[in-house]
Amino acid sequence: MWIYEKKLQYPVRVSKCDPMMAKFLIEQYGGADGELAAALRYLNQRYTIPDKVIGVLNDIGTEEFAHLEMIATMVYKLTKDATVEQLKEAGLGAHYANHDKALFYENAGGVPFTATYIQAKGDPLADLYEDIAAEEKARATYQWLIDMTDDVDLQDSLKFLREREIIHAIRFREAVEIIKDDRDKKKIF
């Protein structure tokens, strides 16, 4: 199905320890509009999508796991040298008490990941419109994260992820048009 190259999809660099930024980035790790929710949503929906567009869901769902790996790397790099005091000041005291510096699927507010984030209606158009909305919400979140840091290295990786969300939304829009065109074709002659 795919080959795992033991490198990130795009390089992740950070120029300083920044636990507060790590706290915000966790939103894209385990939040409702984050990479895990997207990957699981698309890979689940592919079973009820027409064959003509199944590859889009498979490809993008798999890529979202690569994005999850990038976010995990960012959070790790932003917190690896942080003291317990810095983590507490950043609002990560409860996280530290429960998980040390280990990653945990939760949003920026500390709410654990839930399967209710994963939408699947079974109607191809409804699901694809949901996917477009999910990509646009993720794009917006990445922009806000870019705005929240002055670390140009981190901004570079976040800009890459934001641009991939835009491409994914475009691909889902194309899939919608393929399904609409197929639906509107005369089936009986």
Side-chain angles (χ1 to χ4, degrees):
M1 183 168 94
W2 47 271
I3 297 171
Y4 175 56
E5 293 183 35
K6 294 184 180 181
K7 64 179 187 174
L8 295 175
Q9 183 182 12
Y10 189 84
V12 169
R13 293 179 301 277
V14 301
S15 57
K16 62 184 175 184
C17 176
D18 189 349
M20 183 65 78
M21 192 63 201
K23 177 182 172 40
F24 300 141
L25 278 170
I26 288 173
E27 183 65 32
Q28 289 302 90
Y29 193 68
D33 303 320
E35 302 297 349
L36 178 63
L40 295 175
R41 176 185 301 117
Y42 307 151
L43 293 175
N44 184 60
Q45 289 174 354
R46 70 186 172 165
Y47 292 101
T48 55
I49 204 86
D51 288 343
K52 286 186 175 185
V53 296
I54 195 170
V56 174
L57 286 151
N58 194 61
D59 292 348
I60 295 174
T62 303
E63 185 178 345
E64 298 294 0
F65 281 123
H67 297 174
L68 188 68
E69 185 178 33
M70 288 178 65
I71 294 295
T73 301
M74 289 176 203
V75 172
Y76 169 76
K77 288 183 174 188
L78 289 166
T79 60
K80 70 181 175 108
D81 296 324
T83 65
V84 174
E85 203 53 47
Q86 287 174 309
L87 293 170
K88 286 174 21 182
E89 288 172 13
L92 290 170
H95 179 94
Y96 181 80
N98 286 318
H99 310 288
D100 190 5
K101 292 181 185 176
L103 286 160
F104 183 74
Y105 294 110
E106 61 189 5
N107 68 16
V111 177
F113 181 84
T114 173
T116 59
Y117 295 161
I118 303 166
Q119 298 299 319
K121 189 67 176 172
D123 177 87
L125 291 176
D127 284 344
L128 287 168
Y129 281 120
E130 168 66 30
D131 300 343
I132 293 165
E135 293 296 328
E136 293 297 349
K137 290 185 277 186
R139 176 203 46 80
T141 302
Y142 279 122
Q143 184 58 56
W144 298 328
L145 290 166
I146 291 164
D147 295 345
M148 294 173 77
T149 184
D150 60 357
D151 184 334
V152 294
D153 289 329
L154 182 59
Q155 285 177 338
D156 179 58
S157 298
L158 292 171
K159 287 176 182 177
F160 170 82
L161 291 170
R162 180 194 61 200
E163 295 306 309
R164 293 307 301 159
E165 304 300 344
I166 293 167
I167 296 302
H168 294 169
I170 291 168
R171 296 287 315 277
F172 285 137
R173 285 184 182 96
E174 292 167 353
V176 163
E177 293 308 313
I178 290 168
I179 290 172
K180 282 181 175 179
D181 288 346
D182 191 52
R183 177 193 65 189
D184 294 340
K185 285 183 181 170
K186 190 175 181 182
K187 304 274 192 228
I188 301 171
F189 298 96

